[in-house]
Amino acid sequence: MEKPGIIKSLQSLDKADIALLVLDASEALAHQDAKLVEEISDRQKSLIIVANKWDKVKGRNTKSASQAIYDKLPFAAWAPIQFVSAKTGEKVEKILDLILEIAAARRLTLSDSQTEKFLKHVVKIHRPAKGKGLKAPRIYEFRQTKSNPPSFMLRIGPNDDLHFSYVRFMENRLRERHSFLGTPIRISVTKRRKSHTTYNG
């Protein structure tokens, strides 16, 4: 990651909302590419994976080629892959369509009624899974706190502990319902304050 080209790429990320990572579709994914994608995700940037030199690939099976890329980048399964050929111009125009769609997804803001309805649906199909502790946690609130990129707040009981896999489950259901194409989603888990009741005798 100390190479000048990589450092320049990382510096340019600070000024961007959407990153395009250009890969050589005719070669295996490099470790350096995986590290770059990890940096992009950590910095909450949206991502399009552009698989170039598609004209050189035998068979040209987009499904198996996409799976091979996602297997190496499981933390960026939300990023669309566009197979293109800069040499022939094939599918290059599709990149701009993706940029516009992702730009809209980054700015998507869900209302409190939408997130409340979503929470009721999610809890109904799969009860919250506990982390530490004996009892199942209770989710009291789920709402969007900001957009560009989309961030959400999930509030549980003061003594509850929510398993991290349930947060990932909620993220996946959010993507199914509202897309958020090519965009990382941040869900912060907070705890309710303990209430203190005073009795006047």
Side-chain angles (χ1 to χ4, degrees):
M1 298 298 284
E2 289 79 23
K3 291 182 179 179
I6 301 298
I7 293 171
K8 190 175 180 181
S9 295
L10 293 177
Q11 288 173 342
S12 65
L13 267 181
D14 295 331
K15 303 173 185 176
D17 286 338
I18 304 171
L20 278 69
L21 181 69
V22 182
L23 306 175
D24 186 337
S26 64
E27 297 182 3
L29 194 75
H31 175 71
Q32 181 176 289
D33 295 323
K35 289 296 292 180
L36 264 176
V37 171
E38 200 171 348
E39 285 287 337
I40 291 166
S41 179
D42 287 347
R43 296 178 190 215
Q44 293 284 287
K45 306 298 182 179
S46 297
L47 171 65
I48 300 171
I49 299 171
V50 181
N52 189 28
K53 299 187 180 179
W54 188 232
D55 56 295
K56 286 187 173 183
V57 178
K58 292 180 180 179
R60 291 161 56 96
N61 187 320
T62 55
K63 187 175 181 179
S64 62
S66 295
Q67 192 57 56
I69 292 172
Y70 287 136
D71 285 346
K72 295 283 183 68
L73 307 172
F75 41 82
W78 41 264
I81 302 172
Q82 183 61 58
F83 294 92
V84 305
S85 170
K87 184 178 180 180
T88 66
E90 181 185 359
K91 303 289 186 181
V92 171
E93 76 283 354
K94 296 288 185 183
I95 297 172
L96 181 57
D97 294 336
L98 279 173
I99 290 171
L100 295 173
E101 194 174 346
I102 291 171
R106 278 187 75 86
R107 289 165 174 78
L108 179 61
T109 302
L110 304 182
S111 66
D112 288 349
S113 62
Q114 283 178 301
T115 52
E116 187 177 336
K117 189 181 295 184
F118 170 78
L119 178 59
K120 287 179 180 178
H121 169 72
V122 166
V123 170
K124 188 175 181 180
I125 61 174
H126 183 18
R127 287 184 62 193
K130 66 178 182 291
K132 299 174 183 177
L134 299 174
K135 66 171 185 171
R138 179 180 174 185
I139 300 175
Y140 289 88
E141 184 184 8
F142 180 71
R143 60 183 173 84
Q144 187 169 357
T145 54
K146 66 185 285 286
S147 61
N148 196 26
S151 299
F152 296 83
M153 184 275 295
L154 189 157
R155 197 183 303 279
I156 60 177
N159 299 315
D160 290 342
D161 189 77
L162 188 67
H163 199 275
F164 71 90
S165 63
Y166 195 80
V167 178
R168 181 59 56 85
F169 168 77
M170 291 189 70
E171 178 187 331
N172 291 336
R173 300 295 78 74
L174 263 178
R175 293 187 183 282
E176 286 177 2
R177 180 166 288 201
H178 300 288
S179 179
F180 290 109
L181 178 71
T183 297
I185 294 174
R186 177 171 289 172
I187 300 177
S188 301
V189 180
T190 62
K191 294 190 177 186
R192 290 183 72 182
R193 291 181 179 179
K194 292 183 179 180
S195 58
H196 299 279
T197 306
T198 302
Y199 296 93
N200 295 318

